[in-house]
Amino acid sequence: MSSRPVADLIAAARPGGLGAFNVITIEHAESIAAAAEAAKCPVLLQISQNTVHYHGGRLAPIALACLRIAADSSADIAVHLDHATSFELIRSAVDLGIGSVMYDGSTLDYTENVAATADIVRWCHEREVFVEAELGEVGGKDGAHAPGVRTDPDEAVEFVATTGVDALAVAVGSSHAMQTRTAELDNDLIARLSAKVPVPLVLHGSSGVPDAGLRAAVAHGMTKINIATRLNVLATEAIRTVLADSPTIADPRRYLAPARDAIRAEVEHLLHVLAE
């Protein structure tokens, strides 16, 4: 059922949020798909530019695996390219059959971000590809809480109108790569953005947001919820436990299977949180 457009998955998830989970290994993708089937919720399998680098700069192997897992699943699943900063990577994703991409020009100044994003949107829309962009920088833990990096609602309206993007990642207090769930979101800002911006809002850095914060973010207007680090933390904890209990294990299936189970359980839990 992976052929459904991302816009349809967003609509299917409402009034809840659409869970978008990052894939690093095939175990991630298998776990996320299994959780979506159990929860009966739509999901996105996301492949980041950093993951492409991890796989030797080759998108095709992990992308084709995700596309096949999505196609074979009974759940509504689509595959999304996350945090791409180059047109070449976006073109590669589209050529492989990925129908949703994020162009990340957030580190550029506003004028450069608008121009680059608009070019990407024009090219993608000619091929019926959904495009997400970012305004305001959801950076590391310190940067995301510094003055001036959060998304301005009026600027966001102008950005969407000028670029034609289909979804907008906004900076509202979350931070990438947080291993503790202590982030406090600016729900008033989320509500103001939701009231003004005519496209779905995307929350990056959601691993650092506790369940109650995720529910509040969705209630205030956040639509797509990106989660990566949380899954990696739990998978690594599971692997450490197995190896500590059985230090002579050499077969990776013996420790990757518990990691896969940990990811599946957390994704299923989070899907229920986002659907509440």
Side-chain angles (χ1 to χ4, degrees):
M1 300 179 72
S2 63
S3 61
R4 290 189 63 184
V6 170
D8 287 356
L9 297 190
I10 289 172
R14 286 176 174 161
L18 175 64
F21 300 93
N22 280 49
V23 170
I24 297 176
T25 69
I26 193 170
E27 286 80 11
H28 284 78
E30 291 170 336
S31 305
I32 296 162
E37 292 167 5
K40 295 180 170 41
C41 292
V43 296
L44 284 182
L45 299 177
Q46 300 198 142
I47 303 168
S48 72
Q49 179 170 286
N50 284 340
T51 289
V52 175
H53 290 162
Y54 168 74
H55 287 287
R58 299 178 64 216
L59 173 62
I62 191 68
L64 292 174
C66 287
L67 287 165
R68 186 54 189 250
I69 287 168
D72 289 348
S73 176
S74 62
D76 290 333
I77 304 175
V79 180
H80 172 82
L81 178 67
D82 191 36
H83 281 291
T85 60
S86 72
F87 172 70
E88 290 76 14
L89 182 56
I90 289 172
R91 181 172 58 192
S92 295
V94 174
D95 287 346
L96 289 167
I98 292 175
S100 177
V101 303
M102 180 203 179
Y103 171 68
D104 185 357
S106 62
T107 60
L108 304 173
D109 68 35
Y110 179 78
T111 301
E112 291 175 323
N113 190 4
V114 167
T117 301
D119 286 343
I120 294 290
V121 168
R122 279 191 292 271
W123 186 88
C124 286
H125 281 182
E126 289 173 358
R127 292 154 181 82
E128 299 184 344
V129 172
F130 186 96
V131 182
E132 173 187 332
E134 184 172 321
L135 185 64
E137 189 175 351
V138 186
K141 192 170 183 180
D142 295 331
H145 294 282
V149 299
R150 297 193 181 183
T151 306
D152 175 80
D154 292 330
E155 192 172 66
V157 171
E158 179 185 74
F159 183 87
V160 170
T162 305
T163 62
V165 295
D166 302 296
L168 186 66
V170 291
V172 293
S174 58
S175 308
H176 286 119
M178 285 186 68
Q179 296 189 31
T180 58
R181 303 183 75 196
T182 55
E184 296 183 7
L185 302 181
D186 187 339
N187 288 316
D188 289 340
L189 177 56
I190 294 172
R192 286 189 286 124
L193 286 163
S194 179
K196 287 192 169 189
V197 178
V199 298
L201 300 179
V202 184
L203 181 66
H204 286 234
S206 305
S207 292
V209 182
D211 288 354
L214 294 176
R215 292 188 189 98
V218 172
H220 284 82
M222 201 61 72
T223 300
K224 176 174 172 277
I225 310 298
N226 287 17
I227 297 171
T229 301
R230 176 68 178 162
L231 307 186
N232 298 333
V233 167
L234 295 176
T236 303
E237 287 176 356
I239 291 170
R240 286 195 178 108
T241 297
V242 172
L243 295 180
D245 291 344
S246 305
T248 62
I249 284 177
D251 185 343
R253 291 170 294 188
R254 297 279 299 279
Y255 52 82
L256 290 178
R260 184 170 56 193
D261 291 343
I263 294 172
R264 183 206 56 75
E266 184 65 7
V267 171
E268 185 175 351
H269 166 73
L270 290 168
L271 288 174
H272 286 302
V273 168
L274 297 178
E276 292 175 359

